[in-house]
C-alpha cells in the first residue's frame, strides 16, 4: 500500500481518475482540445536507477519526477495526471522513478522522507532552487499550476 503525504487520497484517486475520466474532464474544462486526437507529443518515461535520473537531468532543462518506493498503486494512481502533464507541458520531461533499491542515496540527494513524492528538477535554476518539492493539495489543477509556475520562474 502507498504511504506518505500523498497516500491518504490515493485510493479515492485510483477510483476516480481513470484515463477516460481525466481526458473528458480536461476537454470539458477547455484545457486540452483532445489528448487522444493524435499520438502523444511527450511520453511519460520511467528511470531505473539514480544514475539514469542524473543523466536525464543533464539532458533535460526541467524534469517532473514521481518518486516512489516500488508501489504499483502509486504509479497507477498518478499515471493519468503524469500523462496529461506531459501533453500540456511538452517542454518538460515527465518520469517515474522507483527508488526502492537506492533509498539511502535518494534520501540523501533529494531529502525524500515519504513516498510517493513529486519533484521538479530544474537544471538551469540557481543553486538551492534546482529541486522543487510539490507540497500542494492532491488535485490535478494545483499540480498543473505548480508546474506552470516553475516554467515562469515563480
Amino acid at each position: 500500500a502507498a504511504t506518505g503525504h500523498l497516500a491518504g487520497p490515493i485510493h479515492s484517486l485510483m477510483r476516480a481518475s481513470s484515463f477516460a475520466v481525466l481526458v473528458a474532464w480536461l476537454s470539458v474544462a477547455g484545457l486540452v482540445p483532445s489528448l487522444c486526437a493524435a499520438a502523444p507529443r511527450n511520453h511519460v518515461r520511467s528511470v531505473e536507477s539514480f544514475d539514469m535520473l542524473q543523466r536525464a537531468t543533464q539532458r533535460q532543462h526541467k524534469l517532473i519526477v514521481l518518486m516512489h518506493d516500488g508501489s504499483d498503486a502509486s504509479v497507477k494512481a498518478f499515471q493519468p495526471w503524469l500523462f496529461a502533464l506531459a501533453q500540456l507541458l511538452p517542454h518538460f520531461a515527465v518520469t517515474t522513478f522507483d527508488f526502492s533499491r537506492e533509498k539511502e542515496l535518494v534520501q540523501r540527494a533529494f531529502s525524500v522522507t515519504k513516498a510517493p513524492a513529486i519533484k521538479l528538477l530544474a537544471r538551469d535554476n540557481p543553486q538551492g532552487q534546482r529541486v522543487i518539492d510539490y507540497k500542494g493539495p492532491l488535485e490535478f489543477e494545483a499540480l498543473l499550476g505548480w508546474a506552470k509556475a516553475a516554467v515562469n520562474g515563480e
Side-chain angles (χ1 to χ4, degrees):
T3 61
H5 69 285
L6 298 176
I10 282 186
H11 296 290
S12 61
L13 175 64
M14 288 175 64
R15 287 191 308 268
S17 68
S18 70
F19 179 71
V21 170
L22 180 65
V23 169
W25 181 87
L26 289 171
S27 297
V28 168
L31 294 173
V32 175
S34 173
L35 289 176
C36 295
R41 295 180 292 176
N42 194 9
H43 297 280
V44 176
R45 292 167 175 82
S46 178
V47 295
E48 305 297 323
S49 69
F50 185 78
D51 288 337
M52 285 179 68
L53 184 61
Q54 283 185 310
R55 285 194 300 273
T57 59
Q58 291 169 355
R59 287 190 311 270
Q60 302 294 328
H61 291 279
K62 295 194 186 309
L63 179 68
I64 295 176
V65 183
L66 171 67
M67 295 184 174
H68 62 95
D69 61 358
S71 169
D72 254 1
S74 298
V75 177
K76 287 179 183 177
F78 285 100
Q79 197 66 33
W81 288 10
L82 296 174
F83 178 81
L85 285 174
Q87 303 318 300
L88 294 168
L89 304 167
H91 45 280
F92 279 77
V94 180
T95 189
T96 62
F97 174 45
D98 175 359
F99 66 88
S100 60
R101 286 179 256 145
E102 300 173 292
K103 278 187 182 184
E104 291 178 19
L105 179 61
V106 171
Q107 288 171 342
R108 280 195 316 272
F110 295 107
S111 302
V112 174
T113 57
K114 299 175 184 173
I118 300 173
K119 298 197 178 266
L120 172 71
L121 309 179
R123 180 183 76 189
D124 298 332
N125 280 12
Q127 189 70 26
Q129 298 177 13
R130 292 184 182 153
V131 178
I132 304 167
D133 296 313
Y134 178 71
K135 297 179 182 175
L138 192 58
E139 298 170 354
F140 180 75
E141 301 89 355
L143 183 60
L144 179 61
W146 168 78
K148 284 183 175 182
V151 171
N152 299 325
E154 299 172 15

